[in-house]
Amino acid sequence: MEYVNTTISEIIETAQTGKTPSTKEPLYYEGDVMWVTPTDLQGQQYISDTITKISDLALLDNQAFLYKENTVLISCIGDIGKTAIIKKAASSNQQITGVRVKENLILPKFFYYWIIRNKQYLSFKANRVTVPILNNTNLRKIDISYPNDLEFQRKVVSQLDSVQTYINDKIKTINVLENLIQSIYFKMFGNPVNNQKGFPRKKLSQVTPKDKIITYGIVQAGPHIDDGIPYIRTGDIKNGKIVSKNLLRTTPEIAKKHDRSKCIEGDIIVSIRATVGQCAIIPKELDGANLTQGTARISPNKIVINPNYLFVTLQSEGFQFLINKYVKGSTFKEITLEKLRNIEIPVPKDLNLQNRFSQIYESIQDVKNKVEQSLEILQQLFQVILQNAFKPDVEIDEEPIFKDLIKKFTVQDLKGNKQRLQYLINLFEQQNFDEFKDFTETRKILFELMDEEEIIQIFGTDNKVKLQVK
């Protein structure tokens, strides 16, 4: 297989960086145009929806622009290399760069998978500043190696798609659960901006204990200490959670000097620099952790506000609109502690109402956590397969995830593929199914393949009927 060694600039038609419409004009955000931010890039292949939408007016006023379909979106500020493809025209903020490739040289999907495989390489090529930035000039200079055979590219894409499809379904399930939480919240409490229910408003500084003001953390943490005190940076907050495995640690002495920003289980952390407004709850294992200047701690006063109610309020689209009104800076965004403390949110006096919502939230969150655990396993497996997928003549072993993939395969997907047919026989004989309906659906497919004579029955040495690929 012949590989082409060149730079990204030679394989692309355009590379454009997005824009953020002025938050001073609410009409820019009252539309149905998808506006992609890094938060929307959760590992799915295609972007079908976004947390925030913008209006046609924002486009007409040149506050944003549209990428064409099949544009590959890449996060180039902060968490470098998150990516997805758009099937229909969409816009993005300035943290996203949209790349359209020359499809006679490289398939958009193949380039998308190349980005995923080389995420760390792209991050290495970013400018070494407080917030990593990969500008258009440096992106275009990056070396790329790809097979010149488009048919081989399609084969690689097809193999990876079989796993990606299941990942997409997991992400869709997570999005449905997240939307369900927001929908229930909106029904019970309304929009934090409009406050249709007429609840009393309180500043964020008024929903915390007097001895635990809203504050940021350590200014100079010093070098990383393996057995030190963990501290949370802006980039450690992803998808509403803290990625604890990447946390840096400082000395107990430095952490002690910033004792007032020490966090306990249940505290809420909000990013106040770069990706302003991202939030997460401190889990039990991070009790005693600290912060940096880029993150702020909000400790819920449980006499006044339920922590889950506060957390979902902070995650809501309405609150994100409120916080963005006070953000300053363009390339490097931030909000001051004073502005954050003075943002007002509706707080129902009836704690029972907040607590009822909290119970619903936790039950949905339990389901979501199980789906996320399954998604993490799939994504780890995907990365292993991805490393092999770009090597010529490497076969991808689907057997470890065949139990999940079988739900997506049709009879036509299985016919003529002896390896998959054998996986099917093994799965059926082991009967290692999580649910009875999975067993019945697999059996139905198996019988159809027997009718098609793709699989036959034979007598084994023990005189028992066995299944065999014809």
Side-chain angles (χ1 to χ4, degrees), residues 238-342:
K238 295 180 181 178
N239 301 324
K241 293 186 177 181
I242 298 167
V243 184
S244 57
K245 64 181 180 181
N246 295 326
L247 295 183
L248 296 179
R249 294 171 180 266
T250 189
T251 64
E253 291 76 21
I254 292 177
K256 184 66 177 177
K257 292 178 182 178
H258 297 81
D259 201 48
R260 76 170 190 168
S261 57
K262 183 173 71 173
C263 303
I264 63 171
E265 179 184 0
D267 282 347
I268 298 172
I269 306 305
V270 180
S271 59
I272 57 175
R273 287 185 172 182
T275 51
V276 175
Q278 296 294 302
C279 55
I281 298 177
I282 294 290
K284 184 177 181 179
E285 62 268 23
L286 289 180
D287 191 290
N290 215 298
L291 310 171
T292 62
Q293 280 186 297
T295 49
R297 183 203 64 208
I298 303 177
S299 300
N301 184 347
K302 296 180 182 179
I303 299 175
V304 177
I305 196 165
N306 181 285
N308 288 332
Y309 168 77
L310 175 58
F311 180 62
V312 178
T313 299
L314 298 181
Q315 283 191 312
S316 70
E317 186 175 332
F319 180 81
Q320 294 300 313
F321 173 78
L322 288 174
I323 198 171
N324 274 300
K325 287 175 62 178
Y326 302 104
V327 169
K328 62 179 182 180
S330 53
T331 303
F332 185 77
K333 293 184 172 184
E334 63 179 337
I335 183 173
T336 65
L337 284 178
E338 181 183 3
K339 295 291 186 183
L340 180 64
R341 292 168 181 159
N342 286 316

Side-chain angles (χ1 to χ4, degrees), residues 97-247:
T97 295
V99 175
R100 283 185 59 81
V101 298
K102 298 175 182 177
E103 296 189 29
N104 62 322
L105 299 178
I106 188 168
L107 302 176
K109 272 191 180 183
F110 190 89
F111 182 65
Y112 159 83
Y113 283 125
W114 185 90
I115 294 294
I116 293 175
R117 183 175 187 259
N118 292 278
K119 186 177 187 297
Q120 289 185 338
Y121 178 55
L122 267 64
S123 181
F124 176 77
K125 289 292 185 179
N127 294 331
R128 300 289 109 187
V129 292
T130 304
V131 178
I133 299 175
L134 181 63
N135 59 36
N136 270 2
T137 300
N138 289 337
L139 176 64
R140 290 171 181 269
K141 291 179 180 178
I142 289 176
D143 295 328
I144 182 172
S145 179
Y146 65 94
N148 65 350
D149 186 346
L150 288 175
E151 189 56 39
F152 179 77
Q153 291 185 30
R154 290 188 182 94
K155 179 181 177 182
V156 170
V157 166
S158 176
Q159 291 173 324
L160 287 166
D161 277 353
S162 64
V163 184
Q164 182 72 54
T165 297
Y166 196 64
I167 289 176
N168 290 348
D169 287 344
K170 293 289 185 186
I171 292 171
K172 285 180 183 177
T173 301
I174 291 171
N175 288 337
V176 167
L177 294 171
E178 288 177 345
N179 290 336
L180 178 60
I181 291 172
Q182 291 294 336
S183 176
I184 293 171
Y185 174 92
F186 187 83
K187 185 175 182 180
M188 294 179 69
F189 307 107
N191 188 302
V193 178
N194 300 327
N195 192 21
Q196 300 96 325
K197 305 283 186 177
F199 295 121
R201 289 185 179 273
K202 289 184 180 293
K203 296 177 181 179
L204 288 180
S205 61
Q206 295 174 316
V207 300
T208 62
K210 292 182 179 179
D211 60 340
K212 295 195 74 173
I213 63 170
I214 298 173
T215 185
Y216 57 67
I218 301 170
V219 178
Q220 293 182 327
H224 172 72
I225 306 297
D226 287 338
D227 58 349
I229 305 299
Y231 57 91
I232 302 163
R233 300 162 295 170
T234 298
D236 297 322
I237 304 174
K238 295 180 181 178
N239 301 324
K241 293 186 177 181
I242 298 167
V243 184
S244 57
K245 64 181 180 181
N246 295 326
L247 295 183

Side-chain angles (χ1 to χ4, degrees), residues 426-439:
N426 295 344
L427 178 64
F428 190 76
E429 289 179 346
Q430 294 165 5
Q431 296 194 11
N432 182 23
F433 297 95
D434 296 326
E435 297 182 19
F436 182 72
K437 68 175 183 179
D438 293 336
F439 166 74

Side-chain angles (χ1 to χ4, degrees), residues 252-469:
E253 291 76 21
I254 292 177
K256 184 66 177 177
K257 292 178 182 178
H258 297 81
D259 201 48
R260 76 170 190 168
S261 57
K262 183 173 71 173
C263 303
I264 63 171
E265 179 184 0
D267 282 347
I268 298 172
I269 306 305
V270 180
S271 59
I272 57 175
R273 287 185 172 182
T275 51
V276 175
Q278 296 294 302
C279 55
I281 298 177
I282 294 290
K284 184 177 181 179
E285 62 268 23
L286 289 180
D287 191 290
N290 215 298
L291 310 171
T292 62
Q293 280 186 297
T295 49
R297 183 203 64 208
I298 303 177
S299 300
N301 184 347
K302 296 180 182 179
I303 299 175
V304 177
I305 196 165
N306 181 285
N308 288 332
Y309 168 77
L310 175 58
F311 180 62
V312 178
T313 299
L314 298 181
Q315 283 191 312
S316 70
E317 186 175 332
F319 180 81
Q320 294 300 313
F321 173 78
L322 288 174
I323 198 171
N324 274 300
K325 287 175 62 178
Y326 302 104
V327 169
K328 62 179 182 180
S330 53
T331 303
F332 185 77
K333 293 184 172 184
E334 63 179 337
I335 183 173
T336 65
L337 284 178
E338 181 183 3
K339 295 291 186 183
L340 180 64
R341 292 168 181 159
N342 286 316
I343 294 178
E344 293 185 337
I345 60 170
V347 181
K349 290 183 178 179
D350 186 0
L351 266 176
N352 289 329
L353 179 64
Q354 295 185 42
N355 292 338
R356 285 201 299 273
F357 170 76
S358 179
Q359 291 174 347
I360 297 170
Y361 168 81
E362 288 182 355
S363 63
I364 297 174
Q365 196 66 29
D366 285 342
V367 177
K368 182 184 167 192
N369 287 340
K370 291 177 182 177
V371 178
E372 286 176 335
Q373 290 170 5
S374 177
L375 174 62
E376 184 178 356
I377 293 171
L378 273 173
Q379 288 175 330
Q380 290 172 354
L381 178 61
F382 177 84
Q383 287 299 324
V384 173
I385 296 174
L386 187 64
Q387 297 308 312
N388 291 330
F390 285 82
K391 299 175 183 177
D393 305 321
V394 172
E395 294 294 330
I396 293 178
D397 183 12
E398 296 173 327
E399 188 169 18
I401 56 168
F402 193 78
K403 181 172 61 174
D404 292 325
L405 293 178
I406 188 65
K407 301 173 185 177
K408 308 302 170 189
F409 287 153
T410 65
V411 171
Q412 295 303 315
D413 293 325
L414 296 164
K415 284 178 64 175
N417 191 317
K418 292 187 177 182
Q419 190 175 44
R420 287 182 178 177
L421 291 171
Q422 188 59 55
Y423 291 161
L424 179 65
I425 292 172
N426 295 344
L427 178 64
F428 190 76
E429 289 179 346
Q430 294 165 5
Q431 296 194 11
N432 182 23
F433 297 95
D434 296 326
E435 297 182 19
F436 182 72
K437 68 175 183 179
D438 293 336
F439 166 74
T440 56
E441 289 174 1
T442 302
R443 183 176 61 179
K444 179 182 177 183
I445 292 175
L446 186 64
F447 286 164
E448 288 184 39
L449 289 165
M450 290 173 65
D451 289 340
E452 297 277 351
E453 295 187 350
E454 293 282 327
I455 294 174
I456 59 175
Q457 292 179 312
I458 62 170
F459 281 103
T461 55
D462 56 358
N463 288 325
K464 291 184 178 179
V465 175
K466 301 284 186 181
L467 297 177
Q468 178 178 295
V469 178

